[in-house]
Amino acid sequence: MSIYFSKIIKAGDRQREFNFTQVTNNPESGYAVDVPDDRGERIYFHLFRNDNGQWTTPSEGLPPWIYGATTAFSAAIEEHKSERATVRV
């Protein structure tokens, strides 16, 4: 079973739709994320937990506006997990 959700997040100077796909059935293993850039081309990257338990991106190779939205990615994942837990009750 694949878990997928999308979230509008302000990244850089504009709102962008980020699509999150859970890599495995274990949400702690990470998420594949894609988002269109300013030209409409998709950027793909992976979110994983760092040693401090925070969701983070690869350390290089992505536009600065993605790195600036890392905190919002964590919030989006936690919000989605909370919504799923509420639905299951």
Side-chain angles (χ1 to χ4, degrees):
M1 178 170 89
S2 178
I3 302 297
Y4 166 88
F5 69 97
S6 61
K7 183 77 174 174
I8 303 293
I9 296 172
K10 182 164 180 160
D13 60 348
R14 54 185 281 202
Q15 300 284 333
R16 300 173 191 267
E17 183 177 11
F18 287 83
N19 302 300
F20 297 80
T21 304
Q22 191 174 311
V23 176
T24 66
N25 287 337
N26 179 0
E28 302 306 311
S29 63
Y31 290 84
V33 183
D34 70 273
V35 61
D37 66 9
D38 292 335
R39 296 181 305 225
E41 296 177 18
R42 305 233 46 103
I43 298 172
Y44 298 91
F45 60 97
H46 186 81
L47 286 176
F48 57 93
R49 285 215 188 256
N50 64 18
D51 293 338
N52 297 326
Q54 300 297 315
W55 290 103
T56 189
T57 61
S59 60
E60 55 187 54
L62 296 173
W65 51 266
I66 289 179
Y67 294 116
T70 303
T71 303
F73 300 151
S74 293
I77 291 169
E78 296 308 317
E79 178 183 325
H80 178 72
K81 287 174 21 178
S82 175
E83 288 172 359
R84 288 192 66 218
T86 303
V87 170
R88 289 182 184 175
V89 174

